[in-house]
């Protein structure tokens, strides 16, 4: 009955070495040589300091910035050390309260804007780190950002277009605007 | 629902079916010991391994020895993974200096990864050291998948052999599954997702200076962002290919460092279903009639696509409760629309619904969106896909052997209706086979429903529920459905990292994996001993469209009979309450 014990132990150790050491280390080595930027988190550096990652969102609530999607991470929004969603069910009253509060905040920052608010701007993302908003969500905010920064609406619109990515091959996923990169670019204009 | 959204579902199915034959043919060569293009590189390694194990390729096992080998190997993995988590604080490759994982969480996680479930009561980036992720999780992602594939191959041999006791050599099937199938594909997928932005590094987390400082829930000002990285891509690749599903990060494939673009999302969904689909072709090839394999795949794909559209439809409609506040939920080229709570903009509604259905139809359980926040009918789909017994593609290996049990049941019922002795692939289906098949079909609902019922009357079970009302019941039902079917996805609001859920769930996972694998092998042993019955005019052709429809009906009826009462208390009530 225990004739299979020895092969079981030896096979486990041998396969663990192949798949748990050889495989991940080989991939790490290739990744660090061939794709160093991606493999280390697509970090954005400015004057030698890391100011974020092109793939990780940040929280913005100053009206001069484009706001990101809500994030449900704790203890702080966009905690990139502890990802996760709200996991609130669709009929949970807490979800409705949160959505209402977000709508109020957006309206308060831009009282004259009566357009409907794109849904992604008032719902928490799955990862809590979503760096993107929809084009509609960016359009909703363009007038506000332009006004507060004293910029031409057309100028801001161009900038949004610059940080907009379409569907992959025109089919996969959704078109989206990268918020941290867009806001960094806006600050770049201010420094000119 | 938009045209582009529907196109994405169609595109996925087309590519999946296109890859079935080439990969399936390769796997048939691997399991029949024929030459493959990888031989020059891998054959010497393989020979060396067998010498090390003390086994000969030609030494075959009867079903009992084969089952014992599966159990011993899994037990070794279970003990090792438990110990590794308990000891990680003293071991290297732990840049964040994480301490030992608690005993109950370690037990749950070890059971979870050894059984190919990958239910996660813990959050990866705040709990597990890099060493545990690589030498613990990644290893089990490979070998638990390879074990499922080996059991399937033994089962197929049971169908193809006559007057024989032998089902093959587990060590050979295990090794060849790992080296010739999983490892090359994992390397390919890893590099592809890294090129798109998935992280693969051994460095500790990075600190970034925030563009705009913010305030945390305690009122303190936060000026930096700690960005967790790690050797993620290598684990992500195999967690999909092996239908495992356990994320490197807590947010799983919704995390931008696991799946940064829609393209990686496409690749990962494909990865988690392609081996299971291709094994249908491998099966057809090995039984000498590829029509048999295509028929089973057809039944699976019909179910898969149907439910994908149900989920897509439910999520695309959005949440009616938001309507009075002037929220724009209409999908367009600039707005993903629909129910975006718990979803990522880059994926939108169609890819999220596609992923949720594929990850639960296969026993993967990875997520690119939070199922807990789905609309009632959107959440019903992943729940029901698991409750069908993980046979719509299912786990690699385990999905097809589960489906073959349903085929045997379908043949048997059809035989009863016309009054003929049921037979499948030239084997008479007799009382022993039906006893085993009934056992295989009944154990899962018994475990799932029994444990759910226990949890909702026990104070410890109720304490973890995070959403009120019917949705809270769905959370518990989902937890045991997922673990009792070795899926691993969750309605993740449930606080499952407690002694109660860790212990009960750990048992559910062990039961559903091994209490099913052993009768499957017994069934294989019994089939192999039978002699061949030549097909006659009275033989039911098991590849006709009529039979495919019949098989779909049997799977749906068994699944529905077992779970409709439970579903009525959860998603159905919630849906009714919304109106």
């Amino acid at each position: 009955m225990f004739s299979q014990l020895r092969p079981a132990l030896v096979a486990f150790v041998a396969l663990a070495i192949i798949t748990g050491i050889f495989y991940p280390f080989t991939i790490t080595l290739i990744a660090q040589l061939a794709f160093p930027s991606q493999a280390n988190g697509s970090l954005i550096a400015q004057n030698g300091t890391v100011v974020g990652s092109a793939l990780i969102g940040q929280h913005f609530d100053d009206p001069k910035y484009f706001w990101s999607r809500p994030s449900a991470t704790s203890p702080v929004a966009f905690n990139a050390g502890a990802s996760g969603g709200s996991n609130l069910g669709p009929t949970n009253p807490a979800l409705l309260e949160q959505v209402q509060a977000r709508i109020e905040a957006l309206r308060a920052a831009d009282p004259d804007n009566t357009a409907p608010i794109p849904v992604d701007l008032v719902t928490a993302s799955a990862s809590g780190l979503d760096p993107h908003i929809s084009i509609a969500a960016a359009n909703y905010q363009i007038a506000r950002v332009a006004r507060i920064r004293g910029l031409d609406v057309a100028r801001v619109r161009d900038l949004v277009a610059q940080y907009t990515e379409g569907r992959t091959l025109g089919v996969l996923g959704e078109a989206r605007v990268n918020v941290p990169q867009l806001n960094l670019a806006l600050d770049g204009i201010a420094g000119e | 629902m938009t045209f582009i959204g529907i196109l994405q579902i169609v595109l996925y199915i087309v590519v999946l079916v296109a890859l079935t034959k080439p990969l399936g043919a390769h796997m048939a060569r691997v399991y029949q010991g024929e030459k493959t293009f990888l031989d020059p590189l891998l054959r010497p390694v393989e020979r060396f391994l067998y010498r090390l194990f003390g086994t000969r390729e030609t030494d075959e096992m009867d079903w009992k020895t084969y089952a014992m080998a599966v159990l011993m190997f899994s037990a070794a993995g279970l003990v090792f993974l438990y110990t590794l988590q308990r000891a990680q604080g003293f071991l290297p490759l732990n840049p964040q200096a994480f301490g030992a994982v608690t005993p109950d969480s370690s037990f749950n996680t070890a059971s979870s990864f050894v059984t190919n479930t990958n239910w996660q009561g813990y959050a990866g980036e705040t709990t597990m050291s890099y060493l545990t992720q690589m030498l613990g999780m990644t290893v089990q992602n490979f070998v638990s998948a390879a074990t499922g594939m080996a059991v399937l191959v033994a089962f197929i041999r049971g169908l193809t052999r006559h007057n024989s006791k032998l089902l093959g050599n587990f060590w050979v099937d295990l090794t060849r599954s790992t080296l010739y199938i999983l490892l090359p594909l994992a390397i390919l997928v890893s590099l592809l997702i890294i090129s798109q932005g998935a992280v693969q590094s051994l460095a500790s987390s990075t600190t970034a200076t925030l563009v705009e400082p913010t305030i945390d829930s305690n009122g303190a000002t936060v000026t930096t962002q700690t960005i967790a990285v790690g050797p993620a891509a290598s684990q992500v690749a195999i967690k999909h290919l092996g239908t495992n599903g356990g994320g490197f990060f807590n947010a799983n494939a919704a995390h931008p460092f696991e799946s940064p673009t829609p393209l990686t999302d496409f690749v990962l969904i494909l990865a988690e279903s392609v081996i299971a689909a291709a094994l249908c072709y491998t099966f057809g090839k090995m039984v000498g009639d590829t029509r048999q394999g295509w028929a089973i795949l057809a039944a699976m794909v019909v179910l898969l696509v149907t439910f994908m559209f149900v989920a897509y439809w439910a999520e695309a409609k959005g949440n009616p409760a938001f309507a009075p506040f002037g929220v724009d939920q209409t999908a367009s080229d600039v707005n993903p629309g629909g129910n975006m709570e718990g979803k990522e903009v880059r994926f939108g509604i169609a890819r999220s619904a596609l992923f949720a259905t594929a990850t639960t139809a296969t026993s993967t359980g990875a997520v690119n969106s939070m199922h807990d926040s789905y609309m009632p009918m959107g959440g019903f789909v992943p729940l029901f896909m698991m409750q069908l017994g993980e046979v719509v593609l299912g786990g690699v290996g385990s999905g097809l052997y589960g489906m073959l049990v349903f085929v045997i049941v379908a043949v048997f019922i059809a035989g009863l209706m016309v009054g003929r002795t049921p037979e499948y692939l030239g084997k008479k289906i007799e009382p022993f086979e039906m006893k085993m098949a009934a056992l295989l079909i009944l154990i899962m609902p018994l475990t799932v429903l029994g444990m759910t019922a226990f949890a909702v009357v026990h104070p410890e079970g109720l304490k973890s529920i995070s959403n009120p009302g019917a949705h809270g019941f769905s959370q518990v039902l989902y937890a045991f459905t997922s673990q009792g079917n070795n899926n691993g996805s969750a309605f993740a609001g449930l606080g499952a990292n407690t002694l109660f859920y860790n212990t009960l769930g750990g048992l559910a996972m062990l039961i559903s994996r091994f209490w099913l694998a052993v009768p499957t092998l017994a069934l294989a042993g019994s089939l192999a001993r039978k002699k061949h019955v030549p097909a006659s005019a009275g033989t039911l052709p098991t590849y006709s469209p009529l039979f495919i429809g019949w098989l779909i009906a049997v799977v749906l009826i068994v699944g529905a009979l077992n779970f409709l009462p439970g579903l009525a208390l959860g998603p159905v009530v919630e849906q009714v309450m919304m109106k």
Side-chain angles (χ1 to χ4, degrees):
Chain A
M1 178 174 163
F2 287 98
S3 62
Q4 300 304 321
L5 187 59
R6 190 189 97 99
L9 295 176
V10 180
F12 181 75
V13 172
L15 291 178
I17 291 169
I18 293 173
T19 62
I21 296 175
F22 167 76
Y23 162 70
F25 277 100
T26 308
I27 298 291
T28 309
L29 187 70
I30 300 173
Q32 291 294 335
L33 291 175
F35 309 105
S37 163
Q38 292 98 314
N40 293 309
S42 309
L43 301 173
I44 312 169
Q46 267 188 351
N47 314 321
T49 28
V50 176
V51 291
S53 158
L55 294 175
I56 302 289
Q58 295 185 13
H59 180 74
F60 295 95
D61 53 16
D62 189 324
K64 71 173 182 176
Y65 287 116
F66 281 88
W67 293 5
S68 303
R69 297 189 62 197
S71 160
T73 60
S74 75
V76 63
F78 290 93
N79 178 356
S83 56
S86 73
N87 287 309
L88 294 173
T91 52
N92 193 329
L95 173 66
L96 274 189
E97 279 166 30
Q98 291 187 2
V99 169
Q100 272 177 291
R102 290 162 188 159
I103 291 170
E104 275 164 33
L106 281 162
R107 296 268 190 233
D110 191 8
D112 299 333
N113 189 348
T114 53
I117 302 175
V119 62
D120 59 304
L121 213 46
V122 293
T123 47
S125 63
S127 62
L129 306 175
D130 197 341
H132 300 118
I133 53 176
S134 66
I135 296 176
N139 288 343
Y140 178 84
Q141 303 184 67
I142 285 177
R144 182 193 77 214
V145 172
R147 188 177 65 242
I148 292 172
R149 288 185 177 257
L151 289 169
D152 227 24
V153 169
R155 178 103 197 253
V156 179
R157 199 174 291 281
D158 283 349
L159 214 54
V160 169
Q162 202 183 324
Y163 290 97
T164 300
E165 212 176 330
R167 294 190 169 101
T168 311
L169 309 171
V171 181
L172 300 180
E174 298 289 337
R176 56 207 183 274
V177 179
N178 190 302
V179 181
Q181 287 184 318
L182 174 60
N183 283 334
L184 280 168
L186 277 171
D187 281 353
I189 294 180
E192 275 170 17
Chain B
M1 300 210 280
T2 61
F3 172 73
I4 294 271
I6 294 167
L7 192 62
Q8 298 193 55
I9 296 178
V10 173
L11 188 68
Y12 156 71
I13 297 293
V14 169
V15 177
L16 179 68
V17 173
L19 289 174
T20 294
K21 191 175 168 181
L23 181 60
H26 168 72
M27 291 194 288
R29 284 193 293 275
V30 168
Y31 291 123
Q32 291 173 326
E34 293 162 17
K35 264 199 169 14
T36 72
F37 69 101
L38 294 163
D39 274 25
L41 198 64
L42 294 177
R43 202 60 191 131
V45 181
E46 194 192 350
R47 285 216 185 88
F48 169 75
L49 286 176
Y50 297 146
R51 260 210 309 283
L52 217 59
F53 300 173
T55 190
R56 273 194 305 248
E57 283 174 76
T58 46
D59 283 350
E60 295 218 357
M61 304 171 176
D62 62 14
W63 82 263
K64 282 180 189 156
T65 315
Y66 204 102
M68 193 50 78
V70 169
L71 292 178
M72 293 269 182
F73 181 72
S74 303
L78 191 70
V79 172
F80 177 78
L81 185 49
Y82 178 86
T83 315
L84 187 63
Q85 292 175 77
R86 298 289 294 141
Q88 69 173 8
F90 308 106
L91 296 171
L93 279 172
N94 185 6
Q96 278 102 328
F98 292 135
V101 182
T102 60
D104 56 301
S105 178
S106 298
F107 162 70
N108 183 279
T109 305
S111 307
S112 176
F113 279 74
V114 169
T115 59
N116 198 252
T117 311
N118 296 30
W119 171 270
Q120 295 173 291
Y122 63 91
E125 65 266 52
T126 52
T127 315
M128 300 294 177
S129 75
Y130 293 169
L131 186 76
T132 310
Q133 297 264 27
M134 291 196 290
L135 202 53
M137 311 321 181
T138 304
V139 169
Q140 281 307 325
N141 283 351
F142 275 100
V143 299
S144 70
T147 302
M149 293 159 86
V151 172
L152 169 70
V153 173
F155 188 82
I156 297 175
R157 292 198 188 106
L159 282 166
T160 56
R161 293 180 175 180
H162 310 288
N163 310 313
S164 166
K165 279 186 163 173
L166 302 175
L167 296 176
N169 181 324
F170 173 68
W171 307 115
V172 174
D173 295 336
L174 174 78
T175 307
R176 290 183 73 86
S177 300
T178 308
L179 293 184
Y180 287 81
I181 300 166
L182 296 172
L183 201 55
L185 285 173
I187 292 172
L188 207 67
V189 172
S190 299
L191 295 178
L192 208 151
I193 63 174
I194 292 169
S195 76
Q196 291 285 304
V199 295
Q200 181 74 22
S201 128
L202 295 175
S204 178
S205 50
T206 309
T207 305
T209 310
L210 285 172
V211 179
E212 182 193 344
T214 184
I215 291 168
D216 72 11
S217 55
N218 304 317
T221 304
V222 178
T223 57
T224 57
Q225 185 178 39
T226 305
I227 302 177
V229 290
S234 55
Q235 187 176 326
V236 171
I238 187 61
K239 80 154 163 148
H240 286 262
L241 285 163
T243 60
N244 299 281
F248 187 92
F249 298 105
N250 187 44
N252 210 302
H255 197 298
F257 283 166
E258 286 203 13
S259 183
T261 63
L263 182 65
T264 55
D265 189 68
F266 181 83
V267 169
L268 293 179
I269 298 179
L270 201 60
E272 72 196 25
S273 41
V274 72
I275 293 180
L279 279 169
C280 294
Y281 185 85
T282 308
F283 159 75
K285 198 88 185 153
M286 287 175 78
V287 300
D289 181 0
T290 48
R291 287 175 306 181
Q292 305 286 352
W294 286 117
I296 291 177
L297 184 63
M300 291 174 170
V301 168
V302 168
L303 284 166
L304 182 68
V305 173
T306 308
F307 283 99
M308 268 175 187
F309 278 106
V310 175
Y312 182 27
W313 163 80
E315 293 307 301
K317 278 196 315 180
N319 193 334
F322 296 171
F325 312 132
V327 174
D328 184 3
Q329 301 189 76
T330 315
S332 69
D333 274 343
V334 294
N335 186 351
N339 173 27
M340 283 299 287
E341 180 71 25
K343 296 191 181 65
E344 300 280 296
V345 168
R346 63 191 180 285
F347 304 141
I349 301 294
R351 298 217 66 75
S352 299
L354 174 61
F355 196 115
T357 315
T359 197
T360 46
T362 69
S363 79
T364 309
V367 294
N368 79 348
S369 55
M370 295 300 144
H371 296 184
D372 212 349
S373 297
Y374 270 43
M375 300 310 293
M377 283 302 112
F380 160 87
V381 169
L383 197 49
F384 193 58
M385 292 317 285
M386 295 187 285
Q387 288 169 341
L388 293 179
E390 292 298 7
V391 295
V392 180
L393 294 174
V396 287
S398 62
L400 185 52
Y401 67 66
M403 191 54 137
L404 287 168
V405 170
F406 272 104
V407 170
I408 288 175
V409 173
V411 167
F412 175 76
I413 300 174
L416 285 186
M417 292 200 288
V418 295
R420 282 189 182 274
T421 312
E423 54 191 76
Y424 182 54
L425 302 176
K427 302 279 187 171
K428 262 194 194 147
I429 306 300
E430 290 172 300
F432 179 78
E433 285 75 47
M434 284 319 295
K435 275 184 206 158
M436 287 299 130
L439 192 65
L440 287 165
I441 287 179
L442 288 175
I443 286 169
M444 183 274 285
L446 211 63
T447 313
V448 170
L449 293 172
M451 289 190 177
T452 304
F454 180 62
V456 294
V457 295
H458 196 286
E460 283 297 316
L462 293 170
K463 226 167 57 183
S464 298
I465 293 175
S466 72
N467 278 300
H471 196 89
F473 173 77
S474 301
Q475 288 186 308
V476 178
L477 179 63
Y478 198 107
F480 289 109
T481 300
S482 173
Q483 295 179 88
N485 283 289
N486 295 139
N487 182 272
S489 66
F491 272 9
L494 184 80
N497 196 359
T498 63
L499 182 64
F500 180 87
Y501 278 101
N502 279 334
T503 311
L504 214 54
L507 290 174
M509 292 187 273
L510 292 174
I511 289 172
S512 73
R513 177 71 163 189
F514 298 112
W515 205 2
L516 298 190
V518 173
T520 301
L521 287 168
L523 192 55
S526 151
L527 289 167
R529 276 196 300 276
K530 290 175 189 283
K531 49 180 199 282
H532 183 72
V533 188
S536 69
T539 304
L540 174 74
T542 46
Y543 49 79
S544 65
L546 180 69
F547 184 79
I548 295 170
W550 175 237
L551 180 60
I552 292 171
V554 168
V555 170
L556 282 177
I557 291 166
V558 171
L561 283 180
N562 284 324
F563 287 103
L564 273 191
L567 290 166
L569 293 175
V572 175
V573 166
E574 196 184 14
Q575 175 69 28
V576 173
M577 279 168 57
M578 287 207 87
K579 297 287 161 179

